Amino acid sequence: FLYMLEHLSRVARVIKTPGGNALLVGVGGSGRQSCSRLACFLADCNVFQIEIARGYDQVAFREDLKKLLIGAGGKGEKTVFLFS
């Protein structure tokens, strides 16, 4: 639990930094997504996550990126792109 709190504080600090970005690497089930979502909640950020399923192609990816960039760049919303 203490190890998770250390990671949470690091991720939250990076997210709160203007222009901050992080790449979380670990084995499956290690809590990267949960840690990122909780850090976004603490930093009052929106989470943008794409859903990759059958039929998800390059056109759909471009549309998702358009939505992300309009929100983050055009409207100035604090947004985290969670790509899992």
Side-chain angles (χ1 to χ4, degrees):
F1 182 75
L2 293 176
Y3 197 59
M4 173 62 176
L5 289 179
E6 289 177 12
H7 284 295
L8 178 62
S9 64
R10 288 185 190 120
V11 173
R13 177 176 43 92
V14 168
I15 289 174
K16 289 180 182 179
T17 305
N21 57 68
L23 176 64
L24 305 180
V25 179
V27 296
S30 61
R32 295 180 311 269
Q33 185 173 342
S34 300
C35 182
S36 301
R37 288 186 175 276
L38 186 54
C40 289
F41 175 77
L42 293 174
D44 196 31
C45 291
N46 297 327
V47 177
F48 186 85
Q49 184 174 10
I50 59 173
E51 298 292 330
I52 299 177
R54 181 174 292 188
Y56 190 81
D57 56 356
Q58 194 172 16
V59 174
F61 181 69
R62 286 181 56 96
E63 290 299 318
D64 283 342
L65 280 181
K66 283 181 190 177
K67 291 178 194 174
L68 172 67
L69 294 175
I70 287 171
K75 298 178 183 174
E77 300 172 349
K78 296 191 307 184
T79 307
V80 169
F81 181 44
L82 189 58
F83 190 67
S84 58

